[in-house]
Amino acid sequence: MKKNKCKSLIAALILFTLMPMTVLPSSAMTPLPPTLLDGAAYSGAQMPSGSGVVIENQSVTFDIGDFPDIDDTDGAKKYSGSVTTEYTLFNPTDKEITLKIAYPVADMPTYLYSIDAKSDASLHSITVNGEKIDAELRHCLDYSIYDSDNSNFSSIISDEYISNEFCSPEMTVTKYTFKQSGIKQSGAYVGFDVKKYGELTGSCIYLGEYANAWDVKDGYVRFNFRAIENGSTFDMYVFGKDLGSLPKWKIYKNFGVEDGEEIEGKIEFVSKETTTFLEYVSGYYDESLGINELDWYNMAATDIGTTIKNEQVYTSLSGLKDEFKSYRVKGYIYNITIEPGARVTNTLTGPIYPHIETRYDPYTYSYEYLLFHGNADMFTGQINVKVDTPYYLLGDNGFAKTDNGYSLTLNAKEKIDENSNAIQGGINFTLCKSENPEEVENNNSTGLLLLLIFFVLLPIGLLIEAVESVVKAIKNGFNNLRSKITK
């Protein structure tokens, strides 16, 4: 009985001591999987401002008879949600006006990447007065794509090869080839220092996709990468102004490439050759991507030109190697000519992909339609919105119920006060199969139980056994000592 009481007392003391450990900070716990699956915002036409043409009216009709089935690949292929935008354009002047219009289109969202996407041409339709027109699919880089809801696609696209002080088709690309030998230590790194300002002004260096570069003392940059096999060669490319002299290579014992940690080894110069920037980037061109060669060059020129402009002397060429996916935007460019005093109807139709919130049962689907801010000054009429759907709209957002779904009328600009207006940024609404979807609570009790067992109860058990062993050893030692004394 006394032994059980002792065990209970020890367990209670240890549990009291370790109790704070059971309260784990949220940052230390495994994060729950995201519940929101990103869709893609839909963009209407981007009209050139100051042309003299006015937008008398704009209608936006959403046709949403089904939702993307993210749990079934075959079901996902059947998704047909679309939006049709119709612009009534009027030329009030006495001169013929030709508009160059941009129609940005979004990539298919990640939750549909498992299916074979149709071509952009089959997904999108552009008509003028009911007649389908051929529009050119174009691509460009937009570094503000994550800072703004609406890329100014029309202002970025160029019909000429980009040529400026930082990059041009004729810019020199110098290729150096070197040979490594005499490195005996595994895990060694090779590198060299170069003055950042002066020698590298107006140029940048590519030393391979796994290379690194960082600032060191006195305004120098240290380029480095892991040593290769002795006897092998490697290449270094200089974009823009060439180096004044060959690099002075050093071998370092590890990835720290710190002064005082140099080891034996040799990097020898083998050869040098040059090409033009246009020829260099053409070597990466892949016609199957559906990007024309002009746009391909201009994306590469934007990438390298921005690197040189920002005095980032090292480049990994990640954009060129991954087809500029991170900042690439695409869209159609087409022209509409309007006679003096005439009206035309320009109609765009394309798919719309909702953001899917999976923490509700059933899921909720949020749709985002972007209104190009540059069009706002051209409006003389209103924007009439219809959502044709059998589903429930969650929160009215100003919509009124109709026989076929919901409707909304708004102005391109809303007057705030006598001196200022607010431009409408877009149309947003959320649909669901249920009028009152229930939020599903994430049950992490199993994980917490495992954490409790492994990080609290198991140590408690081991500590109890350890304490018992110590107590037993002390007790035995005391008994032995006492027996010797009594003898």
Side-chain angles (χ1 to χ4, degrees):
M1 187 71 178
K2 289 182 178 179
K3 183 177 181 180
N4 289 336
K5 284 184 178 180
C6 181
K7 277 189 176 183
S8 299
L9 180 59
I10 293 171
L13 290 172
I14 294 174
L15 182 60
F16 179 78
T17 303
L18 294 180
M19 187 61 72
M21 299 181 187
T22 67
V23 183
L24 297 175
S26 58
S27 59
M29 296 178 64
T30 302
L32 295 172
T35 60
L36 180 65
L37 305 179
D38 288 329
Y42 182 93
S43 299
Q46 297 181 354
M47 309 280 182
S49 59
S51 67
V53 171
V54 300
I55 304 174
E56 290 190 319
N57 284 292
Q58 177 180 346
S59 67
V60 182
T61 303
F62 297 87
D63 184 5
I64 304 172
D66 62 339
F67 293 135
D69 191 344
I70 60 174
D71 301 316
D72 177 24
T73 300
D74 292 332
K77 292 179 181 179
K78 299 175 183 177
Y79 172 65
S80 62
S82 66
V83 58
T84 298
T85 306
E86 185 176 281
Y87 301 90
T88 303
L89 305 176
F90 173 57
N91 178 4
T93 73
D94 57 359
K95 295 180 180 180
E96 179 182 273
I97 298 175
T98 297
L99 300 177
K100 182 179 180 180
I101 301 175
Y103 170 35
V105 298
D107 287 324
M108 188 170 289
T110 54
Y111 59 72
L112 291 180
Y113 275 174
S114 60
I115 69 173
D116 295 327
K118 300 176 183 177
S119 68
D120 287 304
S122 64
L123 290 171
H124 298 271
S125 170
I126 304 172
T127 65
V128 176
N129 291 336
E131 294 186 7
K132 190 171 183 178
I133 64 171
D134 292 327
E136 185 180 12
L137 184 63
R138 302 291 302 275
H139 299 77
C140 64
L141 283 191
D142 183 6
Y143 289 124
S144 67
I145 189 172
Y146 300 114
D147 301 325
S148 172
D149 289 333
N150 205 339
S151 171
N152 194 347
F153 182 74
S154 59
S155 68
I156 302 173
I157 283 292
S158 174
D159 293 329
E160 305 291 337
Y161 285 91
I162 291 175
S163 182
N164 53 43
E165 61 180 304
F166 305 108
C167 190
S168 70
E170 296 78 27
M171 181 177 73
T172 301
V173 179
T174 306
K175 174 185 174 182
Y176 291 88
T177 300
F178 298 93
K179 183 179 179 180
Q180 174 188 306
S181 63
I183 299 178
K184 298 178 181 180
Q185 180 172 317
S186 63
Y189 271 65
V190 301
F192 66 93
D193 294 349
V194 64
K195 196 78 170 177
K196 181 175 182 179
Y197 300 108
E199 192 166 8
L200 286 182
T201 299
S203 62
C204 64
I205 292 176
Y206 173 64
L207 198 55
E209 58 183 318
Y210 300 113
N212 300 292
W214 53 73
D215 293 339
V216 290
K217 62 182 180 179
D218 300 327
Y220 281 86
V221 177
R222 182 161 296 171
F223 292 85
N224 62 90
F225 65 95
R226 185 162 184 167
I228 56 176
E229 184 178 350
N230 286 326
S232 299
T233 62
F234 61 89
D235 298 324
M236 178 183 80
Y237 292 86
V238 179
F239 294 87
K241 188 183 70 172
D242 194 10
L243 299 177
S245 59
L246 288 174
K248 296 180 180 178
W249 294 92
K250 293 182 180 181
I251 317 301
Y252 299 88
K253 68 178 183 180
N254 56 40
F255 62 88
V257 294
E258 295 181 1
D259 293 337
E261 296 190 347
E262 296 86 353
I263 58 175
E264 291 185 359
K266 184 184 293 186
I267 302 295
E268 297 176 286
F269 170 73
V270 175
S271 64
K272 173 182 176 180
E273 58 185 278
T274 62
T275 187
T276 66
F277 183 66
L278 178 59
E279 290 172 335
Y280 182 85
V281 300
S282 295
Y284 286 88
Y285 179 69
D286 183 356
E287 188 178 2
S288 66
L289 295 174
I291 302 172
N292 68 44
E293 291 185 78
L294 171 63
D295 290 344
W296 179 260
Y297 163 82
N298 282 340
M299 287 191 290
T302 300
D303 185 24
I304 291 295
T306 301
T307 298
I308 295 174
K309 179 181 179 181
N310 293 339
E311 299 181 333
Q312 298 168 337
V313 296
Y314 162 76
T315 177
S316 65
L317 291 186
S318 58
L320 196 61
K321 291 177 178 297
D322 73 358
E323 302 157 3
F324 308 103
K325 289 178 182 177
S326 297
Y327 295 96
R328 189 176 74 198
V329 294
K330 63 183 177 180
Y332 289 96
I333 300 293
Y334 59 98
N335 293 325
I336 293 180
T337 299
I338 309 175
E339 299 295 328
R343 289 177 173 81
V344 301
T345 301
N346 181 202
T347 306
L348 310 174
T349 299
I352 186 165
Y353 304 109
H355 306 290
I356 305 175
E357 182 52 82
T358 62
R359 77 169 184 266
Y360 291 99
D361 185 19
Y363 297 162
T364 62
Y365 302 82
S366 299
Y367 295 82
E368 185 178 7
Y369 181 107
L370 302 177
L371 295 167
F372 183 57
H373 59 84
N375 293 357
D377 290 334
M378 299 174 64
F379 267 90
T380 60
Q382 293 181 308
I383 302 173
N384 300 298
V385 183
K386 289 196 304 179
V387 181
D388 292 338
T389 183
Y391 303 118
Y392 294 99
L393 187 143
L394 305 181
D396 59 33
N397 280 11
F399 283 87
K401 188 74 177 72
T402 66
D403 292 339
N404 297 320
Y406 305 88
S407 67
L408 171 69
T409 299
L410 48 84
N411 297 314
K413 286 184 177 181
E414 293 292 346
K415 197 164 189 66
I416 298 177
D417 53 43
E418 294 182 359
N419 301 313
S420 59
N421 295 311
I423 297 176
Q424 293 287 355
I427 303 162
N428 301 275
F429 58 90
T430 301
L431 300 178
C432 185
K433 292 180 180 179
S434 169
E435 191 171 8
N436 296 295
E438 295 183 2
E439 185 171 357
V440 178
E441 293 185 4
N442 288 300
N443 190 348
N444 209 26
S445 59
T446 302
L448 289 175
L449 180 60
L450 290 174
L451 288 173
L452 185 65
I453 291 173
F454 284 103
F455 292 103
V456 179
L457 298 184
L458 183 58
I460 287 174
L462 294 174
L463 283 171
I464 289 174
E465 292 296 326
V467 171
E468 282 187 333
S469 298
V470 171
V471 171
K472 185 176 181 181
I474 293 173
K475 184 177 180 181
N476 289 338
F478 178 75
N479 288 335
N480 290 336
L481 178 61
R482 185 174 62 179
S483 63
K484 287 180 181 180
I485 293 173
T486 54
K487 288 179 181 179

